[in-house]
Amino acid sequence: MAVGRREKNNQSRIAVAIGIGVLAGCIFAFAFPHGFFSANPPAQNRLRSKSNFEVGSSSCESTEKIDLLKSDIMRLSDKNVELKKQVRELKENIRLVEQGKDRARDQLTVSSKPTKAGPFGTVKGSRTNPPVIPDETVNPRLAKILSKVAVGKELIVCLANSNVRAMLEIWFTSIKKVDIPNYLVVALDDPILDFCESNDVPVYKRDPDEAIDTVGKTGGNHAVSALKFRILREFLQLGYSVLLSDVDIVYLQNPFHHLYRDSDVESMSDGHNNMTAYGFIDVFDEPAMGWSRYVHTTRIWVYNSGFFYIRPTVPSIELLDRIADRLAKEDAWDQAVFNEELFFPSHPGYDGLYAAKRTMDIYMFMNSKVLFKTVRKDARLRQLKPVIVHVNYHPDKYPRMKAVFDYYVLGMKDALDPFPDGSE
């Protein structure tokens, strides 16, 4: 009996112990759902940690943005300094252009950046001056016409009055035959204006100017030639390059396909061979000087002021101003003044013109002396087809122009034969 009672008591104790264990487990489970040593912190702790991380990250990003902004400010500040420097240089260049004295030298000094000379034989100076900024306020009506007529900001320009009507007809007929689109006649009187309009020739008549109109309507070749320098200035101010043409010229090819455009003035020559056209050394002999009797000189035959290509640059405009001013004050030939201003160097009491110039090929841009004295008598040269022929050496201009047109355009091989080399 005693043994049975003890076993009973032991079982009761075990049952109580199990019950207490189960109860304690339930209580701990409720109080610590994630356990004492859980790898995942409570949600509140996680939120707090996340908040702290975002604050730190935001702080780092703000610092980087501030550094970038500072860098941008420094870069823009440097750029602003450079722009201010360029503005100052531009203002200085404008001041020098307006100053009018020693223009070319001063512009070169201010606007050019010093450079190191290259190896022997590789150094070449620049001959091409920059074009002027176009100013349409100079002549809005002409600017509108040029915008329609010019090709690539360049065109042929010819001045004409009723005295040269017959030659003008050959002039524009040859241009049309070659299919040159960019040309313009500056009509100096109303009959020429009507004549051009009736023949579908691009024409422009200036606004009334009593002094100019008097010369234009009644003047001969030389008077009209002098007038062209004043009128030509407006074309250059508007930013156009002009191939200035006298009316006694026959066009056989498009001249714009044969220009170099590397100089302020590109002109045909009155020379009749390579020496006279492009320059040569001429020896002057003075026997009275004994040992030093021989003096070497440089010579070149003059440029023809009736056919030249001129770019819209400051030296070009200065050239026109100088010529127009001298012709207004002196009884001088415009071609002589044209060459003096282009070639005479600076010397005491005189500031020379700093303009770049180029001589055209005398067999492509041919004067009538070359044609009638040399080319027509040479079987090889007769095969050449010049760009233009300028009947400048002969007073019987119209019949010789017609003969040139017949020979080169219509293929009449004997058209040039009746004429003597020179004038009778």
Side-chain angles (χ1 to χ4, degrees):
M1 285 294 285
V3 173
R5 212 184 288 115
R6 273 199 301 270
E7 287 179 353
K8 247 181 178 182
N9 289 336
N10 288 336
Q11 290 176 353
S12 298
R13 288 187 188 130
I14 291 171
V16 170
I18 291 172
I20 292 171
V22 171
L23 180 61
C26 290
I27 292 172
F28 282 117
F30 179 80
F32 304 100
H34 300 288
F36 283 113
F37 306 104
S38 173
N40 299 319
Q44 186 175 359
N45 291 337
R46 288 204 308 272
L47 289 173
R48 188 179 296 114
S49 299
K50 183 178 180 182
S51 177
N52 290 338
F53 175 79
E54 288 178 349
V55 170
S57 176
S58 177
S59 177
C60 291
E61 290 178 0
S62 297
T63 302
E64 291 177 358
K65 287 181 179 180
I66 290 172
D67 291 338
L68 288 173
L69 287 172
K70 286 181 178 180
S71 176
D72 288 342
I73 290 171
M74 291 178 64
R75 182 171 53 81
L76 291 173
S77 178
D78 292 340
K79 190 173 183 180
N80 188 43
V81 170
E82 181 63 23
L83 287 173
K84 286 182 177 179
K85 181 181 178 182
Q86 292 178 3
V87 169
R88 286 196 301 270
E89 292 177 350
L90 181 60
K91 287 181 177 179
E92 179 66 8
N93 284 340
I94 293 173
R95 185 187 69 80
L96 290 170
V97 170
E98 293 175 346
Q99 186 176 11
K101 183 175 177 61
D102 298 330
R103 219 164 356 192
R105 183 195 64 205
D106 292 340
Q107 273 190 299
L108 186 63
T109 301
V110 174
S111 62
S112 297
K113 294 181 179 179
T115 57
K116 291 183 178 180
F120 179 82
T122 65
V123 179
K124 291 186 180 295
S126 175
R127 296 184 303 277
T128 308
N129 286 303
V132 298
I133 298 173
D135 182 8
E136 293 192 359
T137 62
V138 170
N139 191 330
R141 186 166 68 88
L142 178 58
K144 187 175 181 180
I145 294 173
L146 295 182
S147 67
K148 298 177 181 178
V149 174
V151 175
K153 300 287 285 187
E154 58 187 11
L155 73 162
I156 300 170
V157 175
C158 174
L159 277 67
N161 61 18
S162 295
N163 294 334
V164 296
R165 174 171 171 157
M167 289 189 291
L168 179 63
E169 186 170 12
I170 297 179
W171 182 86
F172 66 65
T173 300
S174 68
I175 285 179
K176 289 182 177 182
K177 195 76 175 177
V178 183
D179 197 25
I180 302 170
N182 48 330
Y183 68 101
L184 180 70
V185 174
V186 177
L188 300 176
D189 56 32
D190 290 331
I192 286 296
L193 176 65
D194 297 337
F195 180 60
C196 288
E197 289 178 342
S198 64
N199 284 277
D200 196 26
V201 172
V203 63
Y204 160 72
K205 190 172 186 296
R206 300 179 76 260
D207 293 330
D209 184 316
E210 184 176 351
I212 293 179
D213 288 348
T214 300
V215 175
K217 292 176 181 178
T218 62
N221 286 341
H222 286 310
V224 172
S225 293
L227 176 63
K228 66 192 174 190
F229 295 100
R230 292 182 59 183
I231 295 177
L232 188 57
R233 190 187 204 276
E234 291 185 350
F235 288 80
L236 269 59
Q237 285 182 277
L238 293 171
Y240 290 85
S241 296
V242 173
L243 185 56
L244 195 284
S245 172
D246 277 356
V247 73
D248 56 344
I249 292 175
V250 179
Y251 287 78
L252 304 169
Q253 297 186 58
N254 189 328
F256 294 108
H257 298 164
H258 300 271
L259 297 174
Y260 285 82
R261 300 176 178 84
D262 64 348
S263 305
D264 298 299
V265 176
E266 197 168 339
S267 178
M268 73 172 297
S269 171
D270 272 1
H272 62 93
N273 55 28
N274 288 350
M275 285 181 57
T276 56
Y278 310 136
F280 64 102
I281 300 297
D282 185 44
V283 180
F284 175 78
D285 181 14
E286 189 176 7
M289 288 300 295
W291 175 80
S292 59
R293 63 182 291 181
Y294 300 110
V295 177
H296 289 248
T297 66
T298 56
R299 294 187 63 187
I300 183 173
W301 285 28
V302 295
Y303 281 178
N304 191 287
S305 62
F307 190 86
F308 60 87
Y309 178 80
I310 186 166
R311 295 177 57 247
T313 66
V314 169
S316 296
I317 294 174
E318 183 180 2
L319 170 66
L320 300 180
D321 288 351
R322 287 184 177 215
I323 297 171
D325 182 63
R326 284 188 56 185
L327 293 176
K329 299 174 181 177
E330 305 172 15
D331 183 17
W333 181 28
D334 70 285
Q335 181 159 292
V337 176
F338 176 69
N339 281 272
E340 287 171 2
E341 293 299 335
L342 269 178
F343 287 97
F344 281 7
S346 296
H347 54 262
Y350 175 77
D351 290 332
L353 179 71
Y354 294 87
K357 44 199 171 289
R358 170 181 282 275
T359 306
M360 292 176 171
D361 186 325
I362 61 170
Y363 293 107
M364 288 290 98
F365 298 90
M366 191 182 298
N367 63 55
S368 56
K369 181 175 182 176
V370 172
L371 174 61
F372 285 98
K373 187 180 178 181
T374 305
V375 171
R376 68 171 176 165
K377 300 175 183 179
D378 187 301
R380 182 175 58 88
L381 293 177
R382 285 171 69 98
Q383 304 305 312
L384 292 175
K385 186 176 184 179
V387 177
I388 60 105
V389 173
H390 188 180
V391 186
N392 60 315
Y393 267 99
H394 301 86
D396 50 340
K397 296 182 181 297
Y398 178 74
R400 289 190 186 246
M401 283 183 70
K402 190 174 184 307
V404 170
F405 186 88
D406 292 344
Y407 179 79
Y408 284 108
V409 178
L410 302 183
M412 298 171 58
K413 298 304 180 183
D414 59 348
L416 303 177
D417 296 345
F419 299 92
D421 291 353
S423 56
E424 295 179 342

